[in-house]
Every structure is written in structure tokens, then in C-alpha cells.
Amino acid sequence: MNSFIRALMFLYSVVIAVISVVLLYALFDDGIFADILKPLSRIVTGPVSRYIYLGVLMLLFITSIVSITNIITSGRLNRTRLRKNDIGTVDISPDAIESIALNAAKSAQVGIKSARCHATPAKNQALKVTVSCELYSNVEIPSSMAKVQEKVKKDIERYTGIAVEQVVVRVSKVEQAQTRVESR
């Protein structure tokens, strides 16, 4: 789902949620719409229709919340990647892909102190992998991070068979070297 559609769906869901909250308020304060919406006021004050009205409003509200949650999380690689073979299928979870990327980044031996990885879907069933890392000092960042990019791409493609379109490496911190003082 592209970002424009996601934004449009999010806006729609928020509007539906606000409308359902206002209409729910009308359930408890039936004078709020007395002049503007006489039919709604009659529905709210009717004994049987009041429960039907409450059910419809709760359904609207719940579906809008589910829709908002779905839209927010849809950018995440939220399903497993299936690889089919002669015997059956192999499901590779996003956590497994991210673990492979994390292990590859750390095993590149370029001075990574700590790292986090995040995999998202890209075009043509490929992946985009983002590696956020903290480095030790005295690391030549451009050449070292290029090695990390190559290692992550190579390992994911080798171990999963899934193409990697892009590997983004973000260096968030460089740890300052601490001098050791040894006493004799």
C-alpha cells in the first residue's frame, strides 16, 4: 500500500472515529442534536432503537480503530516470506530475516558495538533492510559500512533466497575510546 493511500485511509478512519464518538455522546445527551437532527434525537430516545443505535456506533468505532491500527502497521513486513519447493513450503518470518541481517552486520568485523535491523518489503518481492548501529572509535565509516551493506545483502540472499533491493546503514553513535590505566 503506497503512502498516499495509507494517508487517505488513515484520515478516513480518524473521521469515522470522531463521528462515532460524537454520535456516542449524543446517546447520553439527547438534547445535543435536538434542533439540527430531529430524526436522530428520536432514535436516541426510543427504547429499542437506542440499543440498535449503540450497536451500530460501537461497530463503526471498533472498525475505525482496527483500520487505523492496520494502516499504521502495514509498513512493517508483517507476513512471512514463502519459499516453495518440491516437498512443500518454507516460511521465513521477518524476525528471522532481521536476525540474519544483524548477525551479518556484526560478523563483518568492522567495529560495530551494537546494532538493530529492520526489514521492509520492497518492489518485486524484494526486501529493503535498514541497519542502525553504534560503532567503536577509530572506524573508517564509509568503507566499513560498505562492507556491512555487502555482507548483509549477500547473507540474506544466500540463506533465504529472497532478493535484497537495498541495504541502508545508519550510524547513530560513535563510542569514544577509553584509555586503560594499568597499575603494577
Side-chain angles (χ1 to χ4, degrees):
M1 185 179 326
N2 68 24
S3 59
F4 176 73
I5 298 296
R6 285 180 63 199
L8 193 61
M9 287 295 293
F10 181 78
L11 182 64
Y12 170 75
S13 298
V14 168
V15 168
I16 293 295
V18 168
I19 288 172
S20 64
V21 167
V22 168
L23 292 176
L24 189 61
Y25 179 72
L27 184 65
F28 299 106
D29 183 12
D30 58 351
I32 191 172
F33 294 116
D35 293 333
I36 301 170
L37 300 171
K38 290 278 187 189
L40 183 62
S41 181
R42 279 189 229 117
I43 291 172
V44 171
T45 57
V48 175
S49 60
R50 185 179 187 110
Y51 293 109
I52 295 171
Y53 176 75
L54 178 63
V56 169
L57 286 179
M58 292 309 291
L59 182 67
L60 274 175
F61 185 71
I62 290 170
T63 56
S64 66
I65 296 301
V66 168
S67 177
I68 289 170
T69 305
N70 189 14
I71 290 165
I72 290 171
T73 60
S74 68
R76 171 91 168 100
L77 182 65
N78 55 5
R79 62 181 175 90
T80 58
R81 294 297 176 138
L82 297 176
R83 306 303 298 169
K84 293 184 180 183
N85 58 23
D86 296 339
I87 301 170
T89 61
V90 177
D91 297 335
I92 305 170
S93 75
D95 291 335
I97 293 169
E98 290 168 357
S99 294
I100 292 169
L102 185 61
N103 291 336
K106 288 183 177 180
S107 70
Q109 297 186 0
V110 293
I112 293 178
K113 179 182 178 188
S114 65
R116 291 178 297 142
C117 294
H118 184 70
T120 56
K123 296 177 182 174
N124 300 329
Q125 298 294 319
L127 295 173
K128 175 184 175 188
V129 180
T130 303
V131 180
S132 301
C133 55
E134 293 181 13
L135 304 177
Y136 290 112
S137 62
N138 300 329
V139 173
E140 199 174 309
I141 296 174
S143 63
S144 298
M145 295 307 105
K147 289 178 187 175
V148 170
Q149 288 175 311
E150 291 170 9
K151 180 97 169 112
V152 167
K153 178 178 170 65
K154 184 176 112 184
D155 282 3
I156 290 176
E157 288 177 347
R158 180 176 53 190
Y159 295 131
T160 66
I162 300 170
V164 176
E165 180 179 289
Q166 183 180 22
V167 178
V168 177
V169 177
R170 293 190 176 113
V171 178
S172 61
K173 185 177 179 182
V174 175
E175 188 72 23
Q176 193 171 22
Q178 297 177 355
T179 58
R180 289 187 179 178
V181 178
E182 293 183 21
S183 61
R184 292 184 185 200

